[in-house]
Amino acid sequence: MQTMKETLAELVRVYEAAVSTLKADIAAFVDNGTLPPADRRSERAWTYPELRITYRGTELNARASRAFGRLEMAGTYATTVTRPHLFASYLEEQLALIEAEYEVEFEVAPSTQEIPFPYVLEGVSVGTVTPQELASHFPSTELAMIGDEIADGTFLSGEDEPHPLALFDGLRTDFSLARLAHYTGTSPDHCQRFVLFTNYHRYVDEFVDWAGQQIGSDGYVALSGAGGLYLDAPVDNARARLSDTAWRRHQMPAYHLIRKDGSGITLVNIGVGPSNAKTITDHLAVLRPEAWLMIGHCGGLRESQRIGDYVLAHAYLRDDHVLDPVLPPEIPLPAIAEVQLALAQAAEVVSGEGGANLKKRMRTGTIVTTDDRNWELRYTESAKRFSLSRAIGIDMESATISAQGYRFRVPYGTLLCVSDKPLHGELKLPGQANRFYEEAIASHLKIGLITCDLLREQGDRLHSRKLRAFNEPPFR
């Protein structure tokens, strides 16, 4: 019977053997037209490893209170795995919890799910050979085989098939890892488990300057970013190292303040709109973040608000529409208490105020997220809806990010800063905007950073059971 450590080692061995074989076969075809051996597919030589856990119903010391790492019924659980080195700490954590609390058997073997050739081409020169030629002889990306049926609760396993072990299989994960590199301009290996999203580049400047000073302290070892930014020693004014081409080359540039254990902070500038917000969270979700937070700007909807005030979202009016087919807007998004408390505590620390004084600066309430950048032009149609929802702010990303957190079981939260009050005649005029940005961004970002520290201290208590479905895969 394999131990957890032996299982992890076998995952690495099977995966690396498959990748090595596929690379070698591609290279032989590119170099001299040699076709791969006919038995490669029948022998499963190009497939992801499958991790299986067999549970016959004997508990050792199961914790009923934890939200994950639980086996609800006897049977076999399985998933395919890619990049086991990248996911080593995650896999070790999940398997260790199960091994400690249930009598189980671990097994690793080649699966029937083939690794598409585009995911192994790093270091392989294809010369003038076209993707179509490669697809004629090697596994290619079949989009019909990639989906979120497990996360969305629409997956149906056959009578003799195993239960899902994880939300994402190897194929879905590789698809997203490739997209992450494309959209963010950085390696997925550098992504950290606490993620901040923003919708303004000025937050990037502030984050990069702060992050450059943290290297070598508090466990931070490097700063990586779009456009080739990489610092492994502390520097001042790190924003001067940013590439001006990052925005032209990458849709949603990312910047990672790295810890060796992956518990650092990633900042992604997602720009404006719910489509970007959905896109990036679709792909970051496969890395199983500990939490993600929206730290951006919103329009204030109440006369009593002032520019520069904070809005802590405890509910969302979802007019973004991009997730309606998979998560209908009538499904409520619960506030995650652990995240809400951490955001409020961080706001107290940064502002130096608490209680009634903090309430003068920070309102808690409903955020409207719209997919219409010019929603003001339809205000007469939406005014009643906004009023009925008791909304206090409006943006184009927050509800999408929170809905994706709910959908993919990633703790989420939103703290926005009021940048204008379009319904009350306070618009973002050029001079006013500059003053607001200069005064508000540093403190707003600092709240997000302190929140990440507070959430990191919570460990698995952060993962609320309210994010778990009735029939949930064991892995977080």
Side-chain angles (χ1 to χ4, degrees):
M1 185 183 301
Q2 283 186 337
T3 66
M4 181 263 290
K5 295 288 188 183
E6 290 170 339
T7 300
L8 292 173
E10 185 67 1
L11 277 172
V12 172
R13 188 195 69 77
V14 174
Y15 175 75
E16 290 187 345
V19 170
S20 177
T21 300
L22 183 53
K23 279 187 170 184
D25 289 345
I26 292 172
F29 176 75
V30 169
D31 291 343
N32 51 38
T34 302
L35 296 179
D39 59 0
R40 285 290 195 247
R41 285 197 151 105
S42 62
E43 292 185 350
R44 302 184 182 183
W46 297 332
T47 65
Y48 293 103
E50 181 179 69
L51 170 61
R52 284 185 171 237
I53 296 178
T54 301
Y55 171 52
R56 294 183 172 82
T58 302
E59 291 187 5
L60 300 178
N61 186 29
R63 279 177 52 190
S65 61
R66 191 179 55 243
F68 59 93
R70 296 171 51 79
L71 301 178
E72 301 289 352
M73 64 186 79
T76 299
Y77 298 77
T79 188
T80 53
V81 176
T82 189
R83 304 276 300 276
H85 280 304
L86 175 61
F87 292 96
S89 60
Y90 169 77
L91 292 168
E92 183 172 358
E93 176 194 50
Q94 304 306 303
L95 292 177
L97 290 172
I98 292 172
E99 184 180 52
E101 299 180 7
Y102 301 91
E103 191 173 291
V104 294
E105 296 174 9
F106 298 135
E107 181 184 2
V108 174
S111 70
T112 59
Q113 189 179 75
E114 294 183 325
I115 304 172
F117 74 83
Y119 304 147
V120 303
L121 289 183
E122 185 176 353
V124 178
S125 174
V126 298
T128 60
V129 176
T130 67
Q132 291 77 15
E133 289 177 289
L134 290 174
S136 297
H137 304 287
F138 301 99
S140 59
T141 306
E142 297 288 345
L143 294 180
M145 305 299 293
I146 303 173
D148 289 320
E149 290 82 5
I150 298 174
D152 292 331
T154 60
F155 176 83
L156 296 174
S157 56
E159 192 170 310
D160 297 325
E161 293 180 330
H163 307 298
L165 181 60
L167 290 176
F168 305 107
D169 61 14
L171 194 57
R172 171 66 168 83
T173 300
D174 262 342
F175 175 79
S176 282
L177 295 179
R179 291 295 178 94
L180 278 175
H182 171 74
Y183 286 120
T184 68
T186 59
S187 169
D189 299 68
H190 292 169
C191 288
Q192 302 296 289
R193 295 202 300 270
F194 294 89
V195 183
L196 299 179
F197 299 108
T198 188
N199 48 14
Y200 282 91
H201 182 77
R202 291 173 187 254
Y203 283 83
V204 172
D205 290 340
E206 198 69 35
F207 176 77
V208 168
D209 272 353
W210 174 83
Q213 297 170 336
Q214 307 309 308
I215 301 169
S217 64
D218 198 24
Y220 296 117
V221 297
L223 173 63
S224 166
L229 176 70
Y230 191 86
L231 303 172
D232 56 7
V235 298
D236 292 327
N237 194 32
R239 74 175 69 181
R241 314 288 184 95
L242 290 174
S243 168
D244 291 335
T245 67
W247 259 113
R248 292 196 293 272
R249 296 173 56 196
H250 308 292
Q251 188 172 338
M252 289 174 275
Y255 304 86
H256 315 284
L257 182 56
I258 298 170
R259 284 183 165 191
K260 286 184 177 179
D261 64 357
S263 67
I265 301 172
T266 285
L267 176 78
V268 186
N269 185 358
I270 61 176
V272 176
S275 180
N276 274 5
K278 177 184 182 297
T279 296
I280 198 66
T281 47
D282 276 340
H283 302 313
L284 280 169
V286 305
L287 293 172
R288 308 315 298 141
E290 299 286 354
W292 56 42
L293 310 173
M294 180 65 193
I295 306 291
H297 291 172
C298 70
L301 297 179
R302 300 300 181 93
E303 174 63 38
S304 58
Q305 290 170 304
R306 298 169 298 175
I307 291 179
D309 282 356
Y310 299 126
V311 175
L312 176 58
H314 73 182
Y316 302 90
L317 181 60
R318 290 177 52 204
D319 284 347
D320 51 328
H321 302 302
V322 297
L323 288 168
D324 289 3
V326 293
L327 190 67
E330 64 267 20
I331 301 299
L333 303 180
I336 308 301
E338 295 81 359
V339 177
Q340 300 294 98
L341 291 172
L343 282 165
Q345 184 179 343
E348 286 189 13
V349 171
V350 173
S351 67
E353 297 177 331
N357 287 333
L358 181 60
K359 289 181 179 179
K360 294 177 183 177
R361 179 80 192 278
M362 184 173 74
R363 294 280 294 273
T364 301
T366 298
I367 288 291
V368 180
T369 292
T370 179
D371 59 358
D372 184 358
R373 182 62 185 85
N374 295 314
W375 63 270
E376 299 97 329
L377 301 181
R378 296 189 300 110
Y379 177 66
T380 54
E381 300 174 31
S382 53
K384 182 179 179 181
R385 182 169 166 79
F386 289 179
S387 180
L388 285 173
S389 73
R390 307 299 191 264
I392 60 175
I394 183 167
D395 79 343
M396 299 187 69
E397 301 86 24
S398 294
T400 314
I401 286 169
S402 295
Q404 287 281 77
Y406 177 84
R407 183 180 172 217
F408 293 132
R409 290 72 160 172
V410 178
Y412 52 85
T414 298
L415 183 71
L416 303 177
C417 199
V418 175
S419 60
D420 60 340
K421 294 167 59 182
L423 304 186
H424 308 286
E426 293 190 51
L427 305 177
K428 271 187 283 193
L429 301 175
Q432 181 188 41
N434 286 334
R435 288 194 301 273
F436 161 72
Y437 291 138
E438 290 170 2
E439 296 170 3
I441 286 178
S443 58
H444 189 198
L445 177 64
K446 192 172 182 181
I447 292 173
L449 297 170
I450 291 176
T451 300
C452 290
D453 290 337
L454 295 172
L455 295 176
R456 188 184 295 116
E457 294 171 0
Q458 295 199 32
D460 63 20
R461 291 175 297 156
L462 174 59
H463 296 277
S464 171
R465 281 178 288 176
K466 66 183 68 171
L467 291 179
R468 310 293 281 185
F470 293 129
N471 187 13
E472 192 74 10
F475 280 9
R476 175 178 68 77

